[in-house]
Amino acid sequence: MARRPLPRILSKDSAQLARTQIARSRELARTAADSATDVLHPLITVTRGLRLLASAALRRWTDTPKDRRGPLLFLVASVILAVTLVPYGPMLAVIALMAAAGWQGRDRTPPPPEGPDESQTDRLQSLYEALVPYFSSPEDPAPLYAHGGEWEKAFPAHEFDDAGRVGHLVIRYPAYFPDGEHEARVRIEQLLTAKSGRGREYRFAWDEEGNQLTVTVLPPLPADIPAQHFVTAPGETVLGFTDPSEVQRTLPLSYGEEHIDVPPVVWRTGVRSTEPHLLALGHPGAGVSTLLRSIALQALQYGDVLVVDGGGTGEYACLTGRDGVLAVECAPSGALASLEWAAQETERRLIAINLARQAGDPPPADARRALWILVDRPSVFTHLAEAGGRRDPQDLLQVPLRHGRAANVTVVVAEQSDAADALADAVRQHTRARVVLGAVTSRQVETALGAAPHTVPLGHVPPGRGYARLGSGPVHRLQVPRTPDPYDDATSDADRQAVLALLPPRTTAVEAATPQPANLTKSPVPAKAAVAESS
């Protein structure tokens, strides 16, 4: 399959990406200048010395009275003549001149003082004193941490940024500190975050065997990468972007006339996936709907999408009637009918695949095509179903969740964090790929993802910012691509055009009737027909 070129949809007014590009350009220019300076350092030194010697000779000539300039000139000419007549004289003269120029042009600036300056020393001493109550014990005969003690033994390595704040720090702590307890670690991490400077995100690497804690300041993730065609294989979905040290893969993104490489968090689905279904949690405004729109735009390249929106805010109206979009349901009856069809479609695919295998044939094409079921806020439908005495739509997700991987059916469930308890047991058990977005605490991240993050979450984060964990893998920082609702008035023109360019063409009018249920692989059963048949 030919690779489609990346569309140039990134705007040049993207502040964060522009700052990143400028910083990289400055770093490259600084590295090239340092390399050139190291190579040309002898020539620069000799040139500086010749300039100083010439300036000194000119001053000497200017300070000499006019009646003495003639004898001085005769003396210089005599010395030059004598040097010329001596064997190897010119060569020795040139060597002596270069040596004198090198000595005169040497760098005379005093070397920078070793170790931190006074303000940095005060910061390190403050950190040391703050850690004394946590890393000291009255029974310790030779305490590493004590009030008024020396911080040099406790902090073997440290670096500071241009603002004078800690950028990298290695902390030694006594062996009796309970570094295996989560609460003890959190107390130390919160203390270091407060003392080192809030508003930044720190990565904490605990070395339990060596009794060392490495604190590193992480750069902010770019929050203005818009949606675009990502260079991925079928079955791969880009959830967002993370730190370069966390993944071994980068994606090329177009930025004006240039291209940048960003490390992605890639979620793999399909029959060989170990995490075939996804659960996304977040507070209102955290960017959960943005994540679902981004997933839908990527899924439509290789499969069909069914959207069930419990929020009823019209966040997915741009998908209605598009090629590959089976339905966008917001009403309880339509959601119930669509999920019933999804369960029946999963069973039909399983039967078709089983019959094909028994006959020794490949699975049919309609069973190989990916089917995506995107459910936003199912707890709303659960509440309405209980009030109306109807079946809970979440019960209908059990079949796609349990058997979706074999049938090439993927389920993505999004819910608000405060309503996570209303999720069905099947949803929690079978969604091993997890995403949590918004300003959350370490405890909330651990509850949602099953593991604590290596950083202390910030109190204020941009939309689409959070953490992701795929199965039993590590917890990654995550920034979702900017995929706003193109029909929202608050969306900028650049973002609106970027999303609209990714949408498939509209094949049916919005007011058109849904196709008949005989074509199960292309459209769900209409709500009224499904209710009539089930009754």
Side-chain angles (χ1 to χ4, degrees), residues 54 141 204 207 227 278 290-291 299 340 365 418 456 478 481 492-493:
F204 299 95
D207 182 7
L278 175 73
T290 297
L291 174 62
E340 286 181 355
D418 53 359
V456 175
L478 181 71
S492 63
D493 293 337

Side-chain angles (χ1 to χ4, degrees), residues 127 130-131 134-135 171 177 182-200 202-204 206 213 215 440-444 446 453-459:
L127 280 174
L131 292 173
Y134 302 94
F135 288 157
I171 301 175
F177 176 75
H182 176 72
E183 292 76 10
R185 288 190 177 191
V186 170
R187 286 195 298 267
I188 299 300
E189 294 173 358
Q190 291 177 349
L191 174 64
L192 293 175
T193 301
K195 292 296 182 180
S196 301
R198 298 185 183 276
R200 301 185 299 172
Y202 300 87
R203 178 178 179 82
F204 299 95
W206 291 85
L213 169 61
V215 184
V440 292
T441 62
S442 298
R443 177 60 66 182
Q444 291 174 337
E446 184 178 9
H454 297 289
T455 63
V456 175
L458 299 177

Side-chain angles (χ1 to χ4, degrees), residues 338-360:
S338 298
L339 294 180
E340 286 181 355
W341 172 85
Q344 297 173 4
E345 172 64 10
T346 304
E347 296 175 351
R348 185 196 67 82
R349 290 185 173 211
L350 290 175
I351 296 174
I353 293 174
N354 187 24
L355 292 177
R357 288 176 178 175
Q358 292 180 3

